[in-house]
Amino acid sequence: MKKILFILGILCVSLSFNYGQTSSTNVFTNPLLPSGADPYSFYKDGYYYYTHTLQNSLTIWKTKNLSDLKMAQSKVIWTPPKGTSYSKELWAPEVHFIQGKWYMYFAGDDGDNNHHRMYVLECTTNDPMTGEWVFKGKVADAKNDKWAIDGDVFEHGGKLYMIWSGWEGDKNGQQNIYIARMKNPWTIESERSKISGSDFDWEKHGDIKGDPNLPHVNVNEGPQILKNGKKVFVIYSASGCWTDFYALGLLTADANADLLNPASWKKSPEPVFKQSIENGVFAPGHNSFFKSPNGKEDWILYHANSKAGQGCGGFRSPRMQKFTWNADGTPNFGIPVKENVEMAVPSSSKK
């Protein structure tokens, strides 16, 4: 279903879309690009390395400031070989620098969504734009090698973890958020633990019209780690991306808790970021986070649609905005900013 909706959207994207154009180098506007689902970035040595879903290849953009993404250098780092279990439908890539090496995580299949699994590439050079990317293989819980997408990897308490969206069994109908401990950046060593499913009504918008075999799907996907003080958060996307109700949810755990224990996580009963009809921003989701170049500002990077009913296709465009923190330490993302509203670029000032 995601594949069909994505392709239909790509065909409809206007090439004349006005994006990121501003009258000053100190401001920018959303969207950052005319199209680009599942945006992710990693900051290292003064540069942001950005990527998003392209379906048939993996590409990295390199820029000093993500507000200049439209002018950034880009490079296709890997195109999958034909005829493999990971040749098609490459979704939600993430680029990370872990233990002295670069890694690119992504989901792929053989053209059948039921076969989606997560995979990883490795690059040993300091600049991922110039080095060779080597396919390391599938990343999976050996005991529960089930459908899996949207992997995010993070270090905490001296241990490496992966969180992702997956199925409990072998049939679609409910996507959950799972977590597992990793032995190294390409190997999961613990069994997976389910830390979130679709518990509240706002997470259950998932009717699929015209498909008698799959009339409804509940979705928790796109998990992203976020830390603040003594708290660890997982921000995830809920409800079907084909609906305008696609929104972000929040899981919270104590920093000293056992992150593999589902009881360590508490879910917020309401979404923390959702569509803004008044601002013309629909289905915001599948986000990631970054700090400003000076390390003092917190920013959310996400995709959204400009009109209602545009679904999971190529209309989704990357956007970003600064966020703050509530008194209890939880993130406050506000509401999605309207298109073409000028905002100050992420700060580089050391003051």
Side-chain angles (χ1 to χ4, degrees):
M1 176 57 63
K2 254 189 174 182
K3 175 183 177 182
I4 295 173
L5 293 170
F6 186 94
I7 293 173
L8 288 175
I10 284 286
L11 294 175
C12 296
V13 172
S14 169
L15 294 177
S16 62
F17 195 100
N18 180 23
Y19 63 93
Q21 295 181 358
T22 65
S23 58
S24 170
T25 57
N26 296 320
V27 297
F28 75 99
T29 64
N30 283 327
L32 303 173
L33 296 172
S35 181
D38 316 326
Y40 188 87
S41 71
F42 191 93
Y43 186 75
K44 184 179 183 297
D45 298 335
Y47 288 95
Y48 292 90
Y49 297 92
Y50 167 93
T51 188
H52 65 230
T53 293
L54 291 170
Q55 291 277 0
N56 58 3
S57 62
L58 300 176
T59 294
I60 295 177
W61 285 256
K62 181 179 181 180
T63 180
K64 284 281 190 178
N65 202 307
L66 285 172
S67 60
D68 296 325
L69 191 57
K70 64 182 180 296
M71 298 177 289
Q73 172 192 0
S74 66
K75 181 181 180 180
V76 177
I77 63 162
W78 191 75
T79 300
K82 297 180 179 180
T84 74
S85 60
Y86 48 86
S87 295
K88 298 181 179 181
E89 297 183 312
L90 277 56
W91 293 352
E94 289 195 5
V95 58
H96 292 258
F97 189 78
I98 305 171
Q99 299 172 1
K101 299 177 182 179
W102 288 99
Y103 294 92
M104 174 75 90
Y105 298 90
F106 67 97
D109 66 23
D110 57 2
D112 183 344
N113 175 46
N114 293 294
H115 299 157
H116 254 115
R117 297 294 189 276
M118 294 181 297
Y119 301 89
V120 63
L121 308 173
E122 181 185 76
C123 177
T124 61
T125 59
N126 188 57
D127 187 346
M129 304 291 284
T130 61
E132 178 185 4
W133 286 86
V134 178
F135 181 74
K136 293 288 289 186
K138 182 167 66 173
V139 186
D141 167 11
K143 185 176 180 179
N144 295 286
D145 183 11
K146 304 296 184 181
W147 186 93
I149 63 170
D150 299 351
D152 183 40
V153 175
F154 67 98
E155 293 182 276
H156 184 72
K159 299 177 181 179
L160 193 64
Y161 297 88
M162 173 175 271
I163 47 178
W164 70 92
S165 176
W167 297 348
E168 184 69 25
D170 298 316
K171 293 184 179 180
N172 199 355
Q174 171 67 56
Q175 290 177 223
N176 301 314
I177 303 300
Y178 294 94
I179 186 171
R181 188 175 60 253
M182 303 186 78
K183 179 180 180 180
N184 54 47
W186 60 91
T187 308
I188 290 177
E189 68 173 356
S190 75
E191 292 186 25
R192 66 179 184 172
S193 296
K194 175 187 170 183
I195 59 174
S196 182
S198 297
D199 303 303
F200 299 107
D201 288 344
W202 63 270
E203 301 178 277
K204 299 179 181 179
H205 296 279
D207 287 349
I208 303 174
K209 298 179 180 179
D211 189 342
N213 297 316
L214 202 64
H216 183 93
V217 176
N218 287 331
V219 175
N220 272 201
E221 65 182 14
Q224 288 291 310
I225 202 71
L226 180 64
K227 300 180 184 182
N228 186 39
K230 297 181 179 180
K231 297 294 183 182
V232 178
F233 306 105
V234 170
I235 312 298
Y236 65 96
S237 301
S239 285
C241 65
W242 52 93
T243 76
D244 294 333
F245 298 100
Y246 199 57
L248 296 183
L250 174 70
L251 301 173
T252 304
D254 186 90
N256 295 318
D258 178 5
L259 300 186
L260 297 182
N261 184 351
S264 298
W265 297 93
K266 180 181 179 181
K267 178 181 289 191
S268 296
E270 299 292 336
V272 292
F273 196 62
K274 61 183 181 179
Q275 67 171 323
S276 173
I277 297 175
E278 62 272 24
N279 284 351
V281 181
F282 300 88
H286 203 115
N287 71 288
S288 57
F289 302 102
F290 68 94
K291 290 277 190 179
S292 57
N294 67 1
K296 297 180 179 180
E297 299 171 353
D298 293 291
W299 289 73
I300 181 172
L301 180 65
Y302 62 97
H303 72 228
N305 288 323
S306 302
K307 297 179 180 179
Q310 290 184 323
C312 296
F315 287 111
R316 293 177 296 178
S317 55
R319 300 142 189 255
M320 68 184 196
Q321 60 191 71
K322 190 161 58 174
F323 71 92
T324 59
W325 300 92
N326 296 312
D328 64 357
T330 57
N332 186 336
F333 301 123
I335 62 174
V337 175
K338 189 176 182 179
E339 291 182 13
N340 299 318
V341 170
E342 290 189 345
M343 294 176 281
V345 302
S347 179
S348 299
S349 173
K350 301 300 181 182
K351 296 181 179 180

